[in-house]
Amino acid sequence: MNDRLLRSLLSVTDAIARDAAPEAAFRAVEAATRELIGHKLFTILVRREGGEEVERVYSSNPEAYPVQGRKRMGPTPWGALVLEQKQTFLGPDRSAIRWAFPDHELIESLGLGAVINVTAIRGGEVLGTLNLLDAEGAYTVQEQVDIARAFTPFLIPALLQKRA
């Protein structure tokens, strides 16, 4: 295993061992993915009961994307892909951002034009998503998605707490 990836995984493990608060896990995963993949915006969404809505429970930019902001993403093409089919989403450019998100104008106004969305799944149920956004062209390879995906198990207890 890549030493950098192993160190980052262990840093998240250690952060959660020290502090059981959901935000500790979110901050640790944010720092690790920033180091390994890079991002200008990092958010965590929890899927609400019924599956139609997602709620932002963590944001690296709370001014533009505040915690507790909700989106009705279930009945969208992105929701069908990510929430229903349980697929990751790699959007390398602005056209992918426009396809996926109704708030694409805000996203683009922040200089963001690429996205990685990875599902946090437990027992076949999508609990939420880890979301990385950066400049157009920043995310282009499956390895970036796989690295982000490696951190999703750390989010499961925190997402369960946030759903309660």
Side-chain angles (χ1 to χ4, degrees):
M1 180 183 288
N2 175 312
D3 285 344
R4 239 172 105 210
L5 177 57
L6 179 58
R7 280 193 312 274
S8 293
L9 289 166
L10 290 173
S11 73
V12 175
T13 299
D14 292 342
I16 293 169
R18 285 189 306 272
D19 187 345
E23 289 72 23
F26 300 155
R27 283 191 304 270
V29 171
E30 177 190 2
T33 56
R34 184 185 319 106
E35 179 185 334
L36 294 169
I37 305 167
H39 52 73
K40 291 182 179 176
L41 177 64
F42 176 96
T43 66
I44 301 288
L45 301 175
V46 67
R47 190 176 188 189
R48 287 293 168 205
E49 290 296 322
E52 293 291 312
E53 281 191 338
V54 292
E55 180 180 343
R56 196 173 311 103
V57 293
Y58 184 84
S59 175
S60 65
N61 184 347
E63 295 79 32
Y65 282 94
V67 170
Q68 297 182 336
R70 288 191 179 211
K71 294 182 188 182
R72 197 160 184 269
M73 295 300 292
T76 67
W78 179 92
L81 178 72
V82 176
L83 301 176
E84 298 305 323
Q85 297 172 27
K86 303 172 186 159
Q87 301 295 311
T88 59
F89 178 62
L90 171 61
D93 55 34
R94 288 187 178 138
S95 67
I97 296 284
R98 291 176 187 142
W99 173 84
F101 306 112
D103 59 342
H104 60 85
E105 290 176 358
L106 175 57
I107 293 169
E108 291 176 21
S109 76
L110 297 171
L112 306 171
V115 65
I116 295 173
N117 302 120
V118 182
T119 54
I121 301 173
R122 186 187 78 156
E125 180 185 7
V126 175
L127 301 176
T129 62
L130 178 159
N131 313 290
L132 307 172
L133 291 95
D134 209 327
E136 187 169 34
Y139 307 134
T140 58
V141 296
Q142 185 63 37
E143 181 182 16
Q144 293 167 307
V145 176
D146 294 342
I147 291 169
R149 191 168 161 242
F151 289 94
T152 60
F154 293 106
L155 301 175
I156 290 171
L159 288 169
L160 288 170
Q161 280 184 279
K162 289 294 187 176
R163 284 178 82 180

